[in-house]
Amino acid sequence: MATHPPVAAPEGSDRRRDEAAQAAAVAQRLYWGRVLSATMRMARDVDVAEEATADAFLLALRTWPERGVPDSVEAWLLTAAKRRAIDRIRRSVRYRDRLALLAAGAEHVAPAPDADAPAVLDDELRLVVLCCHPALDHEAQVALTLRLGCGVPTASIAAAFLVSTPTMAARLTRAKKRIADAREGIDLPDDVAVEERMPAVRRTVHLAYAMGHTAGSGVTLRDDGVAAHAVQLARALHALRPADSETAGLLALVLLTEARAPTRLDVDGAQVLLADADRSRWDAAAIAEGLALVRGHDGNRRPGPLALQAAIAAEHVGASSFASTDWTAIVARYDELLTIEPSPTVAIGRCIALSYVSGPAAGLDDLDGVIALGGLDHYPYAHAARAALLERLGRSGEATDCWLAAAGCARTTAERDWFETRAGAGR
């Protein structure tokens, strides 16, 4: 058999491939939910729409390096996804009777806005509302939102929920089937359903942000794509309900938390404690916007849990230094929050805040009481909080054991490395 020398890649092909890959990654963060929701409107099938959307992004990775990134990325992806959906339906006997109607309907779908135009996220929000169907428990709502609304791989969602990938895949399949079997089917919800499900939607977007801010799996501490997508959704929710204090609280909370992101890691990629953060590097514009949202709704007689968490975040970013933080005000906010939404993770935050008001011994006593209630054995930051308090009390041997316990249940390589480093420092 004749052999041929390898063909040299054309000059500039690597650059075009890199540009195309970068454009596709940005497009997935910006347009995944919108492409999926538009395709679902046409196909009326969650699985078909999800697979067709994934196909469209894969096609982009294959064709854009050669043909170039299209002028209107969103319109290109929408067209590709709808064509793939029709192809899938054509191959399915189950949907043969619907094919003519779907193909005709595809011709009349409103054209996508230009990629440079401001994003209109109504459809994307309705997709999140669909994922928050009342037939699903909260865990399923969050998992489905991460998968359908944010495009997070099933394996990453599984790691975040501490289950195997096949187990999470089965849960997602059951969740989609429950929605499909419900009376309204897979239609994107109307305005009444949006209003009824708004509390669940806010909780889900908040948890999605939390899972981006501190990743549930992988190597790095953060998942920037998920965090950015959740911030987008929080902005869209606030635009939809600007007078709602909890929606404002959600946006304020993610903005004030995201503002501190640049200082969460040092130059070597290790975590940096809040006490050691360079506050001059925080995002001043995000802080100003978040604080304005908090102050704009500060007169509410009964703030909700998100508004209270935003108020706690505001105390942290409003302080000029760690030492000048008003920990008494933070403890008071935590007390309010625990009254309306008891949570072991919220209680841990209060224990840490209390330690700066009444001393580390008081904080440790409180924390041990929280841990004794159970359910925190596999939560790394419960062990880490205890380790930090023990260190402040000079009990380095016990602190080392707690740092190692935190490392043992760490969810990312970055978390584990940092906990192990702290354990080594105490030896």
Side-chain angles (χ1 to χ4, degrees):
M1 180 183 294
T3 60
H4 301 279
V7 178
E11 186 177 352
S13 63
D14 288 343
R15 178 177 55 80
R16 290 196 300 270
R17 188 162 45 248
D18 290 345
E19 289 174 352
Q22 184 177 3
V26 171
Q28 181 161 1
R29 186 173 72 247
L30 294 178
Y31 303 127
W32 172 277
R34 293 171 66 176
V35 173
L36 177 58
S37 60
T39 307
M40 192 185 304
R41 279 187 183 278
M42 185 199 74
R44 297 180 59 78
D45 185 288
V46 178
D47 289 327
V48 168
E50 184 181 0
E51 290 165 1
T53 300
D55 285 349
F57 281 94
L58 288 174
L59 183 63
L61 288 173
R62 289 199 300 268
T63 61
W64 289 0
E66 293 298 323
R67 301 178 186 177
V69 178
D71 292 335
S72 180
V73 169
E74 184 184 3
W76 190 97
L77 290 167
L78 279 167
T79 300
K82 288 170 185 175
R83 286 175 178 169
R84 292 302 180 278
I86 291 174
D87 287 345
R88 287 179 178 278
I89 292 168
R90 183 179 288 117
R91 291 195 299 266
S92 174
V93 175
R94 247 179 344 131
Y95 295 106
R96 188 174 296 159
D97 293 339
R98 277 200 252 154
L99 181 58
L101 177 62
L102 293 172
E107 300 299 324
H108 301 291
V109 175
D114 188 84
D116 294 330
V120 179
L121 296 177
D122 285 356
D123 269 359
E124 196 167 13
L125 279 178
R126 290 183 187 279
L127 179 61
V128 178
V129 175
L130 174 68
C131 294
C132 292
H133 196 286
L136 307 179
D137 61 30
H138 185 51
E139 181 177 300
Q141 291 173 346
V142 174
L144 202 58
T145 296
L146 290 170
R147 179 71 201 104
L148 298 183
C150 301
V152 179
T154 301
S156 297
I157 302 171
F161 283 95
L162 303 177
V163 298
S164 68
T165 299
T167 297
M168 180 52 68
R171 289 182 184 178
L172 290 169
T173 298
R174 286 196 298 271
K176 287 185 283 188
K177 187 175 186 305
R178 283 180 184 171
I179 292 175
D181 290 345
R183 185 183 61 179
E184 64 270 33
I186 56 83
D187 282 335
L188 294 179
D190 58 21
D191 289 340
V192 173
V194 169
E195 195 61 43
E196 289 174 346
R197 299 182 197 178
M198 193 58 69
V201 171
R202 285 191 295 257
R203 287 197 306 271
T204 298
V205 171
H206 176 225
L207 190 48
Y209 174 76
M211 293 175 72
H213 181 67
T214 304
S217 65
V219 175
T220 58
L221 180 66
R222 277 174 54 91
D223 187 325
D224 291 330
V226 173
H229 203 107
V231 172
Q232 269 188 303
L233 291 171
R235 284 194 179 282
L237 275 172
H238 182 250
L240 191 67
R241 300 288 190 275
D244 183 271
S245 61
E246 275 294 87
T247 304
L250 170 63
L251 179 56
L253 177 59
V254 300
L255 286 173
L256 295 174
T257 307
E258 193 69 359
R260 291 157 28 196
T263 62
R264 288 189 73 206
L265 303 175
D266 64 18
V267 292
D268 297 320
Q271 288 191 63
V272 175
L273 294 173
L274 179 61
D276 302 322
D278 179 0
R279 296 181 178 226
S280 68
R281 293 176 53 215
W282 287 356
D283 187 334
I287 289 174
E289 185 180 358
L291 291 177
L293 287 166
V294 171
R295 291 167 185 149
H297 292 270
D298 213 18
N300 281 4
R301 294 181 180 177
R302 294 183 180 178
L306 290 169
L308 286 168
Q309 289 179 72
I312 292 169
E315 291 290 349
H316 283 298
V317 301
S320 59
S321 66
F322 188 80
S324 65
T325 303
D326 188 346
W327 292 105
T328 301
I330 290 175
V331 170
R333 292 293 195 180
Y334 271 122
D335 287 340
E336 289 182 76
L337 180 56
L338 285 165
T339 299
I340 60 176
E341 192 170 271
S343 158
T345 54
V346 170
I348 290 172
R350 183 190 181 280
C351 296
I352 297 298
L354 180 66
S355 76
Y356 290 104
V357 175
S358 304
L364 182 61
D365 264 355
D366 220 32
L367 179 60
D368 284 343
V370 172
I371 292 174
L373 296 175
L376 292 170
D377 290 347
H378 300 290
Y379 183 57
Y381 290 100
H383 300 292
R386 195 167 193 277
L389 290 171
L390 287 165
E391 280 185 346
R392 288 168 59 193
L393 288 168
R395 294 157 61 178
S396 57
E398 293 174 81
T400 295
D401 291 339
C402 287
W403 287 124
L404 290 174
C409 53
R411 298 161 298 187
T412 62
T413 303
E415 278 185 343
R416 185 176 64 251
D417 289 349
W418 189 75
F419 293 143
E420 289 176 348
T421 298
R422 293 297 300 264
R427 289 186 176 128

